[in-house]
Amino acid sequence: MDRFFVQKQNINLETNTCIIEGEDVKHISKVLRCKIGEELEICDNDINEYICEITDIDKSFVSLNILEKVDIKRESGLKIKVYQGLPKGPKMEMILQKLTEVGVHEIVLVQTKRSVSKVDDKKEDKKLERWERIIYEAAKQSKRGKIPKLRGILSFKDALEDMKNNDLNIAPYENERTKSIKQAIKGVNINTMGIFVGPEGGFEESEIEAIEEISGKSVSLGPRILRTETAGMAIMSVIMFMMEE
């Protein structure tokens, strides 16, 4: 069943009705070719979701009746923020898509010393808009209860300041040989966690030192070197497994 996110104010629990607006209307009517009477999954982006029946399809909106509330825990209690060093353009789309699928809470884009990609001010808004759409579509496909936030593009210094708000920060680093993810999180009471993934070429040593100065921990992902587009997904999967999420 296809899933769509709507604003809370578009869900009326007193009348058990819901309205979909915006770009999704065209997708429902022109791409999916849905008809009156067909059912859709609706989520309010705050973990509440419902099975709804289409009652009307207009050019600017789709009206639905709420049939039932779905009680499934899809979001982790651990809020993970991935700080992603800017990679080359094509890689970013896959990173955003896959991090959304594995359950990340927030994605923060960071300009690091070895970031090859540069985004000028004129193009930044358009790129962020396109990347947000990729996250939205991935959240629908993977049946997330919330759409991950996207922020950026931050300087390395500003990213460090933001990381201070997390209970724990880790950074996979190719020159780290001994400290594992398990060792890094052992004994730490974690509600919010930051994962800093370097771009192509990884981190410079001075950047790792700066992360450790704010009590961040460099960790090893094993004897093999992962690409920037796979490192975040790999470490997210390990942490979710360890946290039984």
Side-chain angles (χ1 to χ4, degrees), residues 11-22:
I11 298 175
N12 190 327
L13 296 180
E14 292 184 359
T15 60
N16 281 328
T17 57
C18 171
I19 294 176
I20 298 175
E21 298 175 309

Side-chain angles (χ1 to χ4, degrees), residues 205-232:
E205 187 175 348
S206 61
E207 291 175 321
I208 288 296
E209 291 172 353
I211 292 171
E212 292 176 341
E213 284 177 4
I214 61 164
S215 300
K217 300 178 180 180
S218 60
V219 296
S220 170
L221 295 183
R224 292 167 297 281
I225 305 300
L226 302 184
R227 293 177 179 270
T228 184
E229 62 265 37
T230 54

Side-chain angles (χ1 to χ4, degrees), residues 91-110:
K91 296 179 180 179
M92 180 61 77
E93 296 186 3
M94 188 181 80
I95 290 170
L96 298 175
Q97 183 185 70
K98 299 309 177 185
L99 287 179
T100 299
E101 290 178 16
V102 295
V104 70
H105 177 73
E106 185 173 349
I107 303 167
V108 184
L109 307 179
V110 186

Side-chain angles (χ1 to χ4, degrees), residues 152-201:
I153 299 167
L154 273 62
S155 67
F156 183 80
K157 180 180 179 181
D158 288 341
L160 290 181
E161 283 300 312
D162 191 83
M163 291 168 70
K164 293 177 182 179
N165 298 315
N166 303 326
D167 298 320
L168 175 68
N169 293 292
I170 61 176
Y173 183 44
E174 61 187 68
N175 291 331
E176 177 60 58
R177 303 290 186 225
T178 58
K179 191 180 298 177
S180 66
I181 299 172
K182 184 177 181 179
Q183 290 172 318
I185 67 176
K186 185 177 181 181
V188 182
N189 185 22
I190 310 170
N191 291 311
T192 58
M193 180 177 183
I195 301 171
F196 204 152
V197 179
E200 297 96 339

Side-chain angles (χ1 to χ4, degrees), residues 49-112:
E49 56 186 274
Y50 309 88
I51 303 297
C52 299
E53 180 185 36
I54 298 174
T55 58
D56 189 20
I57 300 177
D58 189 80
K59 289 183 179 180
S60 58
F61 66 86
V62 175
S63 298
L64 308 100
N65 279 338
I66 297 174
L67 302 178
E68 64 176 297
K69 189 176 188 298
V70 180
D71 188 18
I72 300 177
K73 183 185 177 185
R74 301 191 191 270
E75 295 300 310
S76 170
L78 173 62
K79 291 182 171 58
I80 299 181
K81 298 164 70 173
V82 172
Y83 299 82
Q84 175 66 52
L86 277 182
K88 292 179 181 178
K91 296 179 180 179
M92 180 61 77
E93 296 186 3
M94 188 181 80
I95 290 170
L96 298 175
Q97 183 185 70
K98 299 309 177 185
L99 287 179
T100 299
E101 290 178 16
V102 295
V104 70
H105 177 73
E106 185 173 349
I107 303 167
V108 184
L109 307 179
V110 186
Q111 190 81 54
T112 65

